[in-house]
Amino acid sequence: MLASNGSFIVHPDQAMRSGKTIFTQEEYGGNSTILHAAKVMLAGEEGTMPFRQRDQDWIVFFKPFLQTDVPGRSMEQISWSIGVVYSEDQIFDTYNTLLFYVVAISIIGLLVFYLLCRFVIRRQMRSLQRLTHAAQRVSEGHYDDPMPPLRREDEIGLLYQNFEAMKQSLDNHVKELTDLTKTLKRRREVTREIYAKEQSVDRMKSFFLYFVTNQMIAPAEDIERYVKTLSSNYHDLSPTEVSQIVGTIDMKSNTIIEMINDILNAADD
């Protein structure tokens, strides 16, 4: 508490109440911030003001001293001012502690949020990784690989189910194509065997026709020769000779007819 002349009325240090004013004491005389605060207090103002002393920051909270109206006591006006001084460390100690807690809680909260997000993302990505692995296996031709079950009802679960259905359908089509390819291969082998047999039969027929045709040449030439002989020398031949020639022509003709019948039968076969 300061009197109107700047002397200390109340001070924790009794040495400060020696009768000297704040303006004359050596401890405060060279400190302009303290002298400025004292002048403001003695001017009857109210408020706060920082100052520095002994390499430490302080704040003084001050207001004018008001007397209480007591019956029988003089109400003479006095110009006293009350000031309460705290160091900034004392004032902001709780604030700094609270700030530390807030920062620590924020860091822990961010860490927990990061871990939670990481867990959720990894959980979501695990399903996509399964789907990617299954798609990779399908691209490599492994259509019949079983897919692990996935119990999800969101968009990823629906995509997983649709992909599994598509994979099953593709597997069925591939199996059908494989069976059809095997069937076509068997039919091709059978067709090739039949074709080979037909080629063999055609070669045999060609050889048979060639052989029979060659066999028919001699009888046909004999018939032609006998017919010419008969037509040129008919009057000079005896009935016996004519009869022999006619018999020979008939025999040769029957031989040719038999060969033709064999050719026709071979063609029917």
Side-chain angles (χ1 to χ4, degrees):
M1 179 182 293
L2 291 178
S4 58
N5 62 354
S7 61
F8 288 101
I9 300 174
V10 177
H11 194 284
D13 188 359
Q14 187 174 359
M16 296 296 180
R17 302 195 298 269
S18 61
K20 294 182 180 181
T21 67
I22 193 173
F23 303 105
T24 60
Q25 292 189 19
E26 295 180 359
E27 184 176 359
Y28 301 113
N31 195 325
S32 59
T33 58
I34 295 178
L35 296 179
H36 178 66
K39 291 178 181 180
V40 173
M41 291 174 62
L42 296 177
E45 295 183 14
E46 178 181 352
T48 62
M49 184 168 293
F51 65 92
R52 187 170 182 80
Q53 183 181 12
R54 298 172 186 171
D55 296 331
Q56 188 175 3
D57 294 323
W58 302 78
I59 297 178
V60 57
F61 300 84
F62 56 88
K63 66 182 299 184
F65 177 77
L66 301 178
Q67 289 180 304
T68 303
D69 186 10
V70 178
R73 189 176 68 179
S74 174
M75 292 300 295
E76 181 181 357
Q77 184 69 28
I78 58 177
S79 299
W80 293 355
S81 180
I82 300 176
V84 180
V85 179
Y86 287 97
S87 66
E88 288 189 359
D89 293 338
Q90 292 175 323
I91 295 174
F92 294 106
D93 180 63
T94 303
Y95 169 77
N96 292 332
T97 303
L98 180 61
L99 180 62
F100 172 77
Y101 287 148
V102 170
V103 173
I105 292 173
S106 300
I107 294 175
I108 294 174
L110 289 175
L111 181 60
V112 172
F113 180 73
Y114 167 76
L115 294 177
L116 181 61
C117 292
R118 180 181 175 86
F119 171 76
V120 173
I121 293 174
R122 286 178 64 87
R123 186 172 181 271
Q124 297 289 336
M125 291 299 296
R126 189 179 299 114
S127 302
L128 294 177
Q129 289 174 353
R130 290 183 183 177
L131 189 59
T132 302
H133 178 71
Q136 181 67 27
R137 295 289 293 173
V138 170
S139 65
E140 294 173 356
H142 304 282
Y143 306 104
D144 55 349
D145 285 353
M147 294 182 63
L150 181 65
R151 297 180 180 179
R152 296 186 58 168
E153 298 181 357
D154 55 358
E155 289 77 5
I156 296 178
L158 182 61
L159 177 63
Y160 194 86
Q161 294 176 3
N162 291 334
F163 182 81
E164 186 176 10
M166 182 194 70
K167 178 177 173 296
Q168 184 64 38
S169 178
L170 184 62
D171 185 30
N172 294 334
H173 285 299
V174 170
K175 289 181 179 179
E176 291 177 359
L177 290 175
T178 303
D179 294 339
L180 180 60
T181 302
K182 292 180 179 179
T183 302
L184 291 176
K185 185 176 181 180
R186 288 195 299 268
R187 290 181 179 178
R188 184 181 62 183
E189 295 296 331
V190 173
T191 303
R192 184 177 297 174
E193 292 177 0
I194 294 175
Y195 179 76
K197 291 180 180 179
E198 290 291 335
Q199 290 289 337
S200 177
V201 171
D202 288 340
R203 286 194 297 271
M204 292 177 65
K205 286 183 178 181
S206 298
F207 177 78
F208 175 74
L209 291 175
Y210 177 79
F211 175 77
V212 172
T213 303
N214 287 336
Q215 293 297 322
M216 289 174 61
I217 292 175
E221 289 177 349
D222 291 342
I223 291 173
E224 181 182 8
R225 186 176 65 256
Y226 284 125
V227 169
K228 287 181 178 181
T229 301
L230 184 62
S231 61
S232 300
N233 303 316
Y234 178 74
H235 297 288
D236 297 332
L237 297 175
S238 63
T240 302
E241 293 175 340
V242 171
S243 177
Q244 290 178 351
I245 292 174
V246 171
T248 303
I249 291 173
D250 183 62
M251 183 183 64
K252 298 293 182 179
S253 299
N254 290 332
T255 302
I256 293 175
I257 289 172
E258 291 178 359
M259 292 182 180
I260 293 175
N261 289 331
D262 291 338
I263 294 173
L264 293 175
N265 292 330
D268 292 337
D269 295 337

